[in-house]
Amino acid sequence: MRRPSLFQVVGLAIPIAASAALLAAHAPQKPDFRATFSVDKAKLSHTGKGTYWILEPGYRLHLQSGKDTLVVSVLDETKLVDGVMTRVVEERETEGGQLAEVSRNYFAIDNATGDVYYFGEDVDVYKNGKVTGHEGAWLSGVNGARFGLIVPGAPRVGDRYYQESAPKVAMDRAEVVATNAEIKVPAGTFKSCLHTKETSALESGSEDKYYAPGVGLIKDAEFVLVKIEKGK
């Protein structure tokens, strides 16, 4: 068989490349991650219950990954951040039986929509029982940081939003992948779960998280829910 000439090959490549460029131009583009939120801060509350997030003192979630643990506790404490009285939620993480990190996170809820906003965190990183740093700490309204949306009350597939917006410190963001996931973890089987994929504008990689209606976080990367404490 006679091989095509170089001119024929080039002539064939040009329309193929043009077609690929045309398809790419017409492919649906994902919207940018929302970085600002139209919310009346005066209407936010430090106590309430959203679809996927509970801000009631005494509520506690225990998650585990092998020998590592993550305990999320809604404390009977509040903190004023960026003009909003927020609820303090402690995350206590261990690695191999040793305390690795304790963070005090500040959240507020719009009880009309169920949207839960994230106003910052104070972080203590531990090694061998001693605090070695405070990486990732930020507060809305300080050094250009702005509050983000930790989880929406009525999510839609394709929603994309920043959960925290602290330049050069913390820029986590989430995309809603599904709202009907069924997940089985040691604490039970949960239906109609919210599935989000989280990334950061500051580093590569992603993590999948799942939230169950009326419960909250049930799977965070390799951590899975093993116990729920509802408090008093």
Side-chain angles (χ1 to χ4, degrees):
M1 181 179 293
R2 181 174 176 272
R3 294 177 62 189
S5 70
L6 177 61
F7 295 105
Q8 288 175 311
V9 173
V10 172
L12 180 62
I14 291 174
I16 290 176
S19 297
L22 185 63
L23 288 173
H26 287 82
Q29 299 295 313
K30 289 186 175 181
D32 291 336
F33 288 92
R34 281 188 291 154
T36 58
F37 305 90
S38 299
V39 58
D40 184 351
K41 292 196 293 185
K43 294 182 178 180
L44 297 181
S45 174
H46 55 74
T47 302
K49 186 175 181 180
T51 309
Y52 306 100
W53 202 276
I54 295 175
L55 283 182
E56 296 178 348
Y59 192 74
R60 183 175 290 115
L61 300 175
H62 296 259
L63 295 94
Q64 190 169 336
S65 174
K67 295 182 179 180
D68 302 337
T69 65
L70 173 64
V71 180
V72 184
S73 305
V74 183
L75 304 184
D76 191 13
E77 298 179 32
T78 57
K79 181 180 177 70
L80 184 65
V81 183
D82 201 7
V84 174
M85 191 61 72
T86 66
R87 174 64 55 186
V88 182
V89 177
E90 180 192 80
E91 291 187 5
R92 183 174 291 263
E93 185 173 348
T94 67
E95 294 180 357
Q98 298 292 318
L99 185 62
E101 182 176 309
V102 177
S103 62
R104 289 166 58 86
N105 304 272
Y106 309 118
F107 298 107
I109 185 170
D110 184 335
N111 282 309
T113 64
D115 296 338
V116 180
Y117 295 96
Y118 189 21
F119 280 78
E121 62 177 318
D122 287 312
V123 182
D124 288 331
V125 179
Y126 287 81
K127 186 175 182 179
N128 298 325
K130 296 182 179 180
V131 176
T132 59
H134 308 282
E135 292 84 1
W138 66 281
L139 290 175
S140 182
V142 178
N143 295 326
R146 300 191 305 270
F147 68 90
L149 176 66
I150 193 67
V151 67
R156 295 179 297 177
V157 173
D159 281 352
R160 308 174 91 211
Y161 48 88
Y162 273 94
Q163 296 175 304
E164 49 189 2
S165 185
K168 299 181 181 181
V169 178
M171 297 292 289
D172 286 359
R173 55 200 183 182
E175 178 175 353
V176 176
V177 177
T179 58
N180 60 351
E182 181 173 332
I183 301 297
K184 184 177 182 180
V185 294
T189 299
F190 301 90
K191 299 181 179 181
S192 301
C193 295
L194 169 64
H195 174 197
T196 64
K197 184 173 291 292
E198 295 191 5
T199 56
S200 171
L202 300 178
E203 56 190 57
S204 60
S206 65
E207 290 186 349
D208 291 284
K209 290 189 179 182
Y210 295 85
Y211 303 83
V215 176
L217 183 66
I218 61 171
K219 192 172 189 298
D220 180 351
E222 300 303 317
F223 283 95
V224 292
L225 184 67
V226 297
K227 181 182 177 181
I228 304 170
E229 291 183 61
K230 297 185 177 181
K232 297 180 180 180

